[in-house]
Amino acid sequence: MLSRRFQPHVLRRVEALDGIWDFAFLGDVDPDAIEVKEIRFTDRMAVPACFDATPSYAGRRGLVAYRRWIRVEAGRSLRLVFGSVHHWCRVVVDGKVLRDHAGGFTAFSATFTPDRSGDAELVVLVDNRFDARRAPLHLPYFDWYHYGGITRGVELHRLETPWIERVTTTTESIAPPALRVRIHWASSTAVGAVPFILQLDQRVMLQETITLTSDAGVLERVVEVPDANLWSPSDPNLHLLTVQLGTDDFRVRIGLRQVQVADREILINGEPVRLLGVNRHTLHPEFGHALPEAVLIADAQQLQALGVNFVRGSHYPQDPRFLDLCDELGICVWSEAIGWQHGAEHLTNPDFIEAQLTHIDEMVTEAVNHPSVIMWGVLNESHSHDPACRPGYEALLNHLRVLDPSRPVTYACNHPFDDVCLDLIDIVSINCYPGWYEGEIDDIPEALDRIVSYLDTHGQAHKPLIISEIGAGAIYGWRDLNGARWTEQYQARLLETVIRHMFQAQDRFAGLAIWQFCDGRTPPEVPRILGRPRGFNNKGLVDEYRRPKLAFDVVSQAFHALRST
Ligand code: ADA
């Protein structure tokens, strides 16, 4: 979105629509019963923002309406691009419904051609209620608070014909460095011969005149980029790829690197990398999911202070602005489609699977050019131990492999001893909470060794193995001589034990993602909230305001020491 340090478009005219829009809380009403022209906009709301993170609407759920005016030209192809809207929305221009969209955390667009010039009324109906039919991917039992609103930026694109729909890059080889570029294009009229140019930084790599004979298509080229420097966590070199087709352009920042798994290791450009990191929710008590750049920068600074080279984007696609920072800082990312403990009820439901496939399309489209994204994940802690769920896992994992064969795929499993889907993934990822939900801190080494020995004797011995969640709750500021659960001391002691055993007493683990970076609000429903003091998941190394707990320094010292070896 526009707030990046490079502009995705220079030739294409793009207008940011962020700011303060008209707003109305409509309440518990059916969107299909709404007459847009009858809405009385009595309030105002920031875009991007989560309206239910603001004082007037905190904790409230219902249908809301946003409105602003946009300048349109008759006969011109225009595109509204939304960075993310939660959980469901309907886009209306001058009373005409352009489209609905379900599912937050991914970008989507609506293309239209006005029949008049002037100011047009843009209204967006947004619903943060739970509705398994309209928004099947946002379910109330998940262990994070589902904020609602227009949570990432909105843009108005004025399209030239032909225009570039999207650009996908893959590192074809690293020696010599070569890039595969796929350009999906579209056109509102037959255009004939147009210029086609690929440029990396200031160097033109390819210049052709091509004839487009249909209204859409794909161009694919492989170009050698001998001057390019490779991307790696320790040396995160980036380059700017510019694609020009006709009078339209599309610019993406890329990093040349290849990810493989071999002999229990994760390799980047052929070098084994040990992933040391955290799970990170996109949450803040004042901003919900709509983190301003200042918070993104603060999080990036603390991730660097922790010494991480890995973030699992739990449990949904990450803000592209955060991925930009990870690209620059050499932080590897597990990009995950939304999901949380789904059983057969969802994984055998064709509508749920269809919604997941659409969501995965959007996630990959947005994240595929980020070198920091080294792996894809789905269906956190879902029922991979239930044979009835296997077809659902196959459908989503196979779809990821088709969309992007260049990255390994995984899912976080919390049933290691009876999982029936592990053969479907490249990296085995285990969520476990020894010393918190089961046993004591002294039981952690045996618990981890038991997982390793079971997996290595049940067909997974050749794969990289990571612990994708492990941790303990600590109430910020609670330091008590007894050092029992919920104290900062207990959390620090547990994590010190985990890291020491995983990386000093063992050599089997390719990575660790501590649960979790920061505390985050959880749903108010009982009974879970009775295990979530303050109504928050308190397993963060920092609290929700990013104030470090004792464990922060313990993890930081351990991670920096490990990364120096
Ligand atoms: C699970 C889940 C996390 C969180 C964690 C916890 O592993 O994947 O989202 O709920 O448990 O804190 O219990």
Tab-separated table of all heavy atoms in Angstrom, residues 114-137:
chain	number	residue	atom	x	y	z
A	114	PRO	N	-17.244	4.030	-14.575
A	114	PRO	CA	-18.395	4.923	-14.373
A	114	PRO	C	-18.972	5.383	-15.719
A	114	PRO	O	-18.264	5.459	-16.728
A	114	PRO	CB	-17.803	6.112	-13.616
A	114	PRO	CG	-16.451	5.687	-13.167
A	114	PRO	CD	-16.000	4.614	-14.093
A	115	ASP	N	-20.270	5.720	-15.695
A	115	ASP	CA	-20.874	6.235	-16.948
A	115	ASP	C	-21.017	7.752	-16.891
A	115	ASP	O	-21.621	8.368	-17.763
A	115	ASP	CB	-22.258	5.582	-17.173
A	115	ASP	CG	-23.143	5.722	-15.944
A	115	ASP	OD1	-22.789	6.577	-15.071
A	115	ASP	OD2	-24.144	5.007	-15.833
A	116	ARG	N	-20.446	8.357	-15.801
A	116	ARG	CA	-20.480	9.821	-15.734
A	116	ARG	C	-19.223	10.298	-15.039
A	116	ARG	O	-18.557	9.521	-14.341
A	116	ARG	CB	-21.710	10.317	-14.968
A	116	ARG	CG	-21.682	9.974	-13.477
A	116	ARG	CD	-22.841	10.584	-12.724
A	116	ARG	NE	-22.745	10.300	-11.285
A	116	ARG	CZ	-21.932	10.954	-10.446
A	116	ARG	NH1	-21.129	11.899	-10.912
A	116	ARG	NH2	-21.896	10.627	-9.162
A	117	SER	N	-18.871	11.554	-15.214
A	117	SER	CA	-17.713	12.133	-14.515
A	117	SER	C	-18.203	12.985	-13.351
A	117	SER	O	-19.340	13.451	-13.356
A	117	SER	CB	-16.905	13.004	-15.488
A	117	SER	OG	-16.378	12.195	-16.506
A	118	GLY	N	-17.323	13.129	-12.344
A	118	GLY	CA	-17.689	13.987	-11.204
A	118	GLY	C	-17.405	13.286	-9.897
A	118	GLY	O	-16.604	12.368	-9.832
A	119	ASP	N	-18.083	13.750	-8.828
A	119	ASP	CA	-17.892	13.136	-7.506
A	119	ASP	C	-18.876	11.989	-7.345
A	119	ASP	O	-20.084	12.162	-7.555
A	119	ASP	CB	-18.145	14.183	-6.408
A	119	ASP	CG	-16.999	15.187	-6.347
A	119	ASP	OD1	-15.876	14.815	-6.767
A	119	ASP	OD2	-17.229	16.344	-5.940
A	120	ALA	N	-18.354	10.824	-7.005
A	120	ALA	CA	-19.213	9.637	-6.791
A	120	ALA	C	-19.181	9.298	-5.306
A	120	ALA	O	-18.173	9.504	-4.620
A	120	ALA	CB	-18.712	8.465	-7.621
A	121	GLU	N	-20.292	8.748	-4.840
A	121	GLU	CA	-20.394	8.371	-3.428
A	121	GLU	C	-19.926	6.930	-3.246
A	121	GLU	O	-20.476	6.001	-3.847
A	121	GLU	CB	-21.846	8.476	-2.951
A	121	GLU	CG	-22.021	8.119	-1.489
A	121	GLU	CD	-23.490	7.932	-1.112
A	121	GLU	OE1	-24.179	7.127	-1.775
A	121	GLU	OE2	-23.940	8.604	-0.158
A	122	LEU	N	-18.877	6.774	-2.435
A	122	LEU	CA	-18.382	5.425	-2.107
A	122	LEU	C	-18.882	5.077	-0.708
A	122	LEU	O	-18.615	5.813	0.246
A	122	LEU	CB	-16.855	5.398	-2.140
A	122	LEU	CG	-16.157	4.181	-1.494
A	122	LEU	CD1	-16.549	2.873	-2.182
A	122	LEU	CD2	-14.634	4.355	-1.506
A	123	VAL	N	-19.643	3.989	-0.617
A	123	VAL	CA	-20.114	3.493	0.683
A	123	VAL	C	-19.600	2.070	0.855
A	123	VAL	O	-19.651	1.268	-0.085
A	123	VAL	CB	-21.658	3.509	0.768
A	123	VAL	CG1	-22.150	2.783	2.020
A	123	VAL	CG2	-22.164	4.956	0.756
A	124	VAL	N	-19.075	1.781	2.037
A	124	VAL	CA	-18.633	0.417	2.343
A	124	VAL	C	-19.383	-0.053	3.582
A	124	VAL	O	-19.258	0.543	4.663
A	124	VAL	CB	-17.111	0.358	2.597
A	124	VAL	CG1	-16.658	-1.098	2.785
A	124	VAL	CG2	-16.351	1.000	1.439
A	125	LEU	N	-20.202	-1.086	3.401
A	125	LEU	CA	-20.861	-1.716	4.555
A	125	LEU	C	-19.877	-2.722	5.135
A	125	LEU	O	-19.288	-3.516	4.390
A	125	LEU	CB	-22.142	-2.434	4.115
A	125	LEU	CG	-23.235	-1.576	3.482
A	125	LEU	CD1	-24.454	-2.451	3.124
A	125	LEU	CD2	-23.667	-0.435	4.400
A	126	VAL	N	-19.668	-2.699	6.436
A	126	VAL	CA	-18.706	-3.596	7.089
A	126	VAL	C	-19.398	-4.266	8.265
A	126	VAL	O	-20.151	-3.625	9.003
A	126	VAL	CB	-17.473	-2.811	7.589
A	126	VAL	CG1	-16.501	-3.721	8.332
A	126	VAL	CG2	-16.768	-2.126	6.410
A	127	ASP	N	-19.138	-5.574	8.412
A	127	ASP	CA	-19.804	-6.333	9.469
A	127	ASP	C	-18.769	-7.069	10.302
A	127	ASP	O	-18.010	-7.881	9.772
A	127	ASP	CB	-20.777	-7.345	8.829
A	127	ASP	CG	-21.833	-7.815	9.817
A	127	ASP	OD1	-21.595	-7.671	11.034
A	127	ASP	OD2	-22.881	-8.323	9.368
A	128	ASN	N	-18.711	-6.773	11.616
A	128	ASN	CA	-17.749	-7.490	12.476
A	128	ASN	C	-18.455	-8.556	13.323
A	128	ASN	O	-17.880	-9.074	14.271
A	128	ASN	CB	-16.989	-6.515	13.374
A	128	ASN	CG	-17.865	-5.950	14.486
A	128	ASN	OD1	-19.103	-6.021	14.415
A	128	ASN	ND2	-17.241	-5.422	15.524
A	129	ARG	N	-19.710	-8.870	12.921
A	129	ARG	CA	-20.384	-9.959	13.642
A	129	ARG	C	-19.859	-11.311	13.145
A	129	ARG	O	-19.295	-11.402	12.052
A	129	ARG	CB	-21.901	-9.882	13.399
A	129	ARG	CG	-22.577	-8.714	14.090
A	129	ARG	CD	-24.023	-8.591	13.647
A	129	ARG	NE	-24.111	-8.216	12.223
A	129	ARG	CZ	-25.280	-8.031	11.593
A	129	ARG	NH1	-26.422	-8.197	12.229
A	129	ARG	NH2	-25.310	-7.671	10.309
A	130	PHE	N	-20.045	-12.331	13.918
A	130	PHE	CA	-19.681	-13.678	13.480
A	130	PHE	C	-20.858	-14.244	12.697
A	130	PHE	O	-21.987	-14.235	13.177
A	130	PHE	CB	-19.347	-14.544	14.689
A	130	PHE	CG	-18.127	-14.056	15.437
A	130	PHE	CD1	-18.243	-13.453	16.682
A	130	PHE	CD2	-16.865	-14.182	14.874
A	130	PHE	CE1	-17.124	-12.987	17.358
A	130	PHE	CE2	-15.737	-13.723	15.538
A	130	PHE	CZ	-15.865	-13.112	16.780
A	131	ASP	N	-20.556	-14.710	11.481
A	131	ASP	CA	-21.619	-15.274	10.643
A	131	ASP	C	-20.973	-16.367	9.796
A	131	ASP	O	-20.282	-16.068	8.813
A	131	ASP	CB	-22.214	-14.174	9.742
A	131	ASP	CG	-23.341	-14.705	8.856
A	131	ASP	OD1	-23.205	-15.862	8.360
A	131	ASP	OD2	-24.334	-14.006	8.680
A	132	ALA	N	-21.143	-17.614	10.220
A	132	ALA	CA	-20.434	-18.737	9.582
A	132	ALA	C	-20.791	-18.856	8.111
A	132	ALA	O	-20.008	-19.368	7.316
A	132	ALA	CB	-20.768	-20.035	10.314
A	133	ARG	N	-21.960	-18.306	7.720
A	133	ARG	CA	-22.333	-18.403	6.298
A	133	ARG	C	-21.627	-17.291	5.503
A	133	ARG	O	-20.951	-17.552	4.515
A	133	ARG	CB	-23.850	-18.274	6.164
A	133	ARG	CG	-24.387	-18.452	4.738
A	133	ARG	CD	-25.891	-18.245	4.694
A	133	ARG	NE	-26.286	-16.957	5.299
A	133	ARG	CZ	-26.166	-15.779	4.653
A	133	ARG	NH1	-25.628	-15.751	3.446
A	133	ARG	NH2	-26.536	-14.650	5.242
A	134	ARG	N	-21.707	-16.050	5.984
A	134	ARG	CA	-21.141	-14.940	5.208
A	134	ARG	C	-19.640	-14.787	5.412
A	134	ARG	O	-18.919	-14.344	4.528
A	134	ARG	CB	-21.851	-13.633	5.578
A	134	ARG	CG	-23.084	-13.387	4.719
A	134	ARG	CD	-23.601	-11.987	4.824
A	134	ARG	NE	-24.047	-11.644	6.144
A	134	ARG	CZ	-23.547	-10.643	6.865
A	134	ARG	NH1	-22.562	-9.926	6.375
A	134	ARG	NH2	-24.006	-10.379	8.060
A	135	ALA	N	-19.160	-15.089	6.638
A	135	ALA	CA	-17.721	-14.902	6.913
A	135	ALA	C	-17.198	-16.143	7.628
A	135	ALA	O	-16.886	-16.104	8.826
A	135	ALA	CB	-17.499	-13.654	7.747
A	136	PRO	N	-17.113	-17.287	6.933
A	136	PRO	CA	-16.818	-18.568	7.594
A	136	PRO	C	-15.412	-18.662	8.183
A	136	PRO	O	-15.122	-19.589	8.935
A	136	PRO	CB	-16.997	-19.592	6.467
A	136	PRO	CG	-16.824	-18.829	5.209
A	136	PRO	CD	-17.314	-17.449	5.472
A	137	LEU	N	-14.526	-17.711	7.852
A	137	LEU	CA	-13.149	-17.852	8.348
A	137	LEU	C	-12.935	-17.173	9.698
A	137	LEU	O	-11.895	-17.365	10.319
A	137	LEU	CB	-12.169	-17.287	7.321
A	137	LEU	CG	-12.253	-17.901	5.925
A	137	LEU	CD1	-11.155	-17.346	5.024
A	137	LEU	CD2	-12.170	-19.421	5.995
